[in-house]
Amino acid sequence: MITFQLNNSAVHVDIDPDTPLLWVVRDHFKLKGSKFGCGMGLCGACTMHVNGEAVRTCTLPISAVQGAAITSIEGLGTPDNLHPLQQAWVEYSVPQCGYCQSGQLMSASALLAKNPNPSDDDIEMAMNGNICRCGTYSKIKSAIKSGAEAMRTQGSLVEIFDPVITDKEASS
Amino acid sequence: MKKASMTRRLFLLSTGAAATGLIVGCSTAAAKGRGYSAIAGAFEPNSFIQITPDNKVIFYLPSSEMGQGILDGLTTLIAEELRVQPTAIDVRHASLHEDYKNPEMGMQATGGSNATRAQFLPLRQAAADTAAAIRNAAAKQLDQPLDKIVLVDGQVMVEGKFYGFGDFVAVAALMPVPENSPLRSPKQFDQIGRQRPRLDALSKSTGTAEFGIDAEVENLYRAVVVRSPVLGATLQGFDASAALKRSGVVDVVKIKSGVAVVAQSYWQARQAAAVLELNWEKTELGSWSSDSIYNKFNETLNDSSQKGLECCDEGEGDKLLDQSATVVAADYYAPYLAHATMEPLNCTVEVNGDSCAIYLGTQNVQASAGAAVYYGDFDADKVKVHPAFLGGGFGRRGLGDDVAEAVLIAQKTGRNIQLVWSREDDMSNDFYRPAALVRMQAGVSEQGLIETWAVRRVGPNIMGYMLDEWVDALAPDYLNKGFVDWLSKLGRPIFNRFIADPSAGDGIYSDYDTPNKAVRHVTQDPGLRTGFWRSVGHSSNAFFKESFIDELAQSAGIDELDFRLANMKNNPRLTEATQLVAAKAGWGKTLPEGHFHGLATHSSFGSAVAQIAEISIKGTQIIVHKVTAAIHCGMVVNPGIVRDQVEGGIIYGLTAALHGEITLVDGVIQQSNFHNYPMLRMADAPEVEVHIVESQEHPEGVGEPGLPPLAPAVANAVFKASGQRLRDLPLRLS
């Protein structure tokens, strides 16, 4: 039995301990926003936050997240309550096919949580693990700068990973 | 220029008249009535639009959204004529119905960059007729003259009073739907041509957009397939005993392409698949490696007894080549390429007795349904396709191979299953962009005009492989399967021996005013299956043509821009795009130390694109700093999306130009994932600036035309920087 926090709720799951976090979140908890792209941690489509760090979850065994706080794209913001970066993504029309964008947003939001005013080099460094086959890189860069500025002016914050827990039974 | 549509049509027209007539004439599920399920009380004037009593406007999107922005574009056309905000329209992916066939292709499919061009008038007409029907109903119901009824922003305004569309749907449903209602003129447009955030940006920025891989149905098991390391080999035998002992595994079954492992979770299925033991028979492809393929191409290129097939013969052909003041010849090569869509192929199948539902993202809803009918033995009207967003298409999705596997697994196991390909499955079981070795020759006059253009081309074709997939999936189900399979195999010999594959010649002889042209293609095919890869033949032919044009200009001692403009007097669109890009990028201006410009111009899919790449060289590394592009694509629906598509084509093209190469050793693909088939990443992505030529002409393609000029623009700049004329892709400095 592995227990962790998923988008601010305590969850537990009884599953092969080597199952990657990505598949647990997608197929066990039915949160489909995080994507499978390569299975080797090379493309970033599966990126989630593990204790605030952007991590490739297609290679991260579920046994490694015992007690950790996981945030997936569903925990970053919702259509009715967008994270400033998601707001910028929409304003800049960043997505084309959109498949990689959850991962891009999770990498970008982890960057801004640590570095509220990143330079071009900082952005390239943080985002280089995320492939976009449609070629949205320049818009991603612009949207990150715009989202960062919005967050600085709104004083909007770093995500919280020590919330009050409502014990939600894992549904499967 | 309707080259693109011709290409796709040709496959229908040239596959033997008998078969073609049958295919075109019969949809696999030719249901009558509307393409959607009825909603009680709704006004349902056509298969595209449904208006409910509570004022909801639903648009059924007939084309597949794979990133190219067609959801946004086509919804904008509906919004324009129906007088509704695009954001207020509920857009749904259309399931299979004959009303959703692409008018240029005659099939419900998305490709060839023609979705806007082909549907620009029909969809606006459908919306304009719907708007007229609402006005007629309002006039009748309110007993007002028609000219007092005005549609404004999704509402009906009558003498200063506002009503919802829904107030009149009941009456509208009882009246005839008008036909040929007048369309709004470009001067009236307030949606078409406007730049807005794209409509699918919100769902795709919140993880809520549903892709094929996100499908969930009751009692769903996950499946993976182990296929032959050499594509196309037949399975001799397998041992599943170890796999069956793995936790979660419920079935191991043999299907057409290999052996499927079905388990409770993807991870369990994937782990168990690794311990399957399989024996494959040897195939012809297994005797080929990249070196031997290249050598065979080269041998064929130099064997003049192999005449090949004619792609083009104009004027005196190549007869006068030697009479020109300057004669130039050079050989070029482009490798096989994989598509590498971000979303690996997948398909979810739910079987209920004699019916089945399939969930996937596909560029060809019709072939996907057809594959289920053919391989699953379902009646056509018992197959329901639930199309989803595509995590990239680029020509890969919609051949039916994913559906065939998934349906066979579901049938053999009697379970609802989701088949998911790994990245490795995707890379080694693609339909690859064909390799080609090409000899370019041209004769140029003293004045710098091209007099003769002669091309001899060697490589495999595409159409035969496409027909092998499509004929099976699209043939009417009353035909005997053995006959259909025999028919499907005819494509390769036909295109190898009798008709030049259109993609072989696409774009390699067009654009310039040359009076004498001879282009021939010799088929040389080791048996690696090929397919449509973003911009198809143009993807390599533009590299050959535009690199060679620079060689001609340089041997004539004429500036590369001037040389092109002097030789494209009959090509006004390309001329405009070329002049625009030259002005915007500052062709001829002083660049930063070590930076060089390269130019390339190319028309494809109805549009003309010119690009200038600014590069520098560090050791043997090519650094692309900036690409400036200009496109002439006729009227624009959403300029933001046009620019994104050109930029996307540039980035996709740059990945191929700098890194893209699929190689074989003894028939086995050597690339497996992004470590050995690398993609351009953010740090290496150039700044891209896209300019659009103002035009009121009919809209043309934008999804693909941005790609072809990129590789030659970079190669031409590399020559300026290094003196090395790189004639092989990917571009590698020595």
Side-chain angles (χ1 to χ4, degrees), chain A residues 16 18-20 23 26-27 30 32-33 35-38 40 42-43 45 73-74 78-79 82 86 89-91 93 95-102 105 123-124 127-131 133-135 137-141, chain B residues 66-67 196-198 201-202 204-207 211 213-214 216 222 247 266-268 271 338-340 342-344 390-392 394 420-424 644-645 647-648 651-652 655 673-675 679-683 685:
Chain A
D16 297 349
D18 62 347
T19 308
W23 296 106
R26 281 183 55 83
D27 292 344
K30 311 290 184 204
K32 302 288 189 179
K35 301 302 192 222
F36 169 57
C38 69
M40 285 180 77
L42 297 170
C43 79
I73 183 73
E74 291 84 357
T78 61
L82 294 174
Q86 292 172 307
W89 245 243
V90 174
E91 276 164 22
S93 283
Q96 289 188 26
C97 91
Y99 194 78
C100 73
Q101 298 298 343
S102 295
L105 278 154
I123 293 174
E124 285 172 13
M127 301 304 293
N128 229 35
N130 290 78
I131 292 172
R133 195 71 171 118
C134 300
Y137 296 126
S138 66
K139 285 198 161 185
I140 290 173
K141 208 185 269 184
Chain B
M66 54 190 128
R196 294 172 286 99
R198 54 187 282 166
L202 181 66
K204 289 176 174 177
S205 302
T206 50
F211 295 84
I213 203 169
D214 302 331
E216 277 287 339
R222 315 282 164 173
S247 75
Y266 172 78
W267 187 247
Q268 290 167 329
Q271 297 300 104
H339 295 80
M342 284 307 293
E343 180 189 15
L390 287 70
F394 313 122
V420 177
W421 289 32
S422 65
R423 175 59 53 197
E424 290 78 7
D644 290 351
Q645 283 308 296
E647 178 163 359
I651 300 296
Y652 200 88
T655 287
N673 207 316
F674 295 127
H675 61 293
M679 302 284 121
L680 202 75
R681 292 171 184 268
M682 185 186 277

Side-chain angles (χ1 to χ4, degrees), chain B residues 233-255:
Chain B
T234 306
L235 185 66
Q236 282 183 323
F238 68 102
D239 180 356
S241 51
L244 280 164
K245 286 183 197 138
R246 291 298 182 109
S247 75
V249 174
V250 293
D251 289 302
V252 175
V253 292
K254 184 184 166 189
I255 59 167

Side-chain angles (χ1 to χ4, degrees), chain B residues 262-456:
Chain B
V262 182
Q264 280 158 349
S265 78
Y266 172 78
W267 187 247
Q268 290 167 329
R270 183 58 66 199
Q271 297 300 104
V275 299
L276 271 182
E277 287 179 28
L278 305 102
N279 295 312
W280 302 93
E281 72 169 14
K282 279 202 185 318
T283 63
E284 147 93 31
L285 179 61
S287 62
W288 290 98
S289 296
S290 290
D291 287 351
S292 60
I293 292 170
Y294 184 91
N295 291 340
K296 185 71 183 174
F297 284 9
N298 201 28
E299 191 184 296
T300 308
L301 187 68
N302 290 306
D303 175 3
S304 57
S305 72
Q306 297 194 51
K307 300 284 180 212
L309 296 168
E310 178 187 305
C311 302
C312 166
D313 187 16
E314 291 176 15
E316 297 297 318
D318 60 1
K319 288 191 201 74
L320 308 178
L321 181 64
D322 294 338
Q323 297 179 19
S324 290
T326 312
V327 177
V328 184
D331 293 355
Y332 284 83
Y333 176 74
Y336 286 102
L337 292 175
H339 295 80
T341 59
M342 284 307 293
E343 180 189 15
L345 288 195
N346 60 82
C347 180
T348 303
V349 178
E350 186 179 24
V351 179
N352 280 313
D354 63 352
S355 66
C356 101
I358 59 178
Y359 301 78
L360 83 167
T362 173
Q363 291 179 242
N364 196 329
V365 172
Q366 195 170 342
S368 295
V373 171
Y374 182 82
Y375 292 101
D377 258 333
F378 294 101
D379 289 342
D381 59 357
K382 299 286 187 190
V383 172
K384 171 85 174 165
V385 185
H386 297 267
F389 281 115
L390 287 70
F394 313 122
R396 176 61 184 93
R397 289 192 141 83
L399 299 173
D401 55 329
D402 40 10
V403 178
E405 287 185 343
V407 164
L408 288 169
I409 299 165
Q411 278 208 321
K412 288 217 168 185
T413 61
R415 298 177 196 278
N416 297 339
I417 62 103
Q418 178 175 59
L419 167 68
V420 177
W421 289 32
S422 65
R423 175 59 53 197
E424 290 78 7
D425 294 337
D426 175 82
M427 200 76 78
S428 52
N429 294 274
D430 205 342
F431 288 78
Y432 301 89
R433 194 281 302 272
L437 181 64
V438 177
R439 178 157 298 159
M440 309 290 293
Q441 299 183 88
V444 180
S445 74
E446 276 176 37
Q447 294 75 36
L449 296 177
I450 307 167
E451 294 172 321
T452 295
W453 184 260
V455 180
R456 182 173 160 82

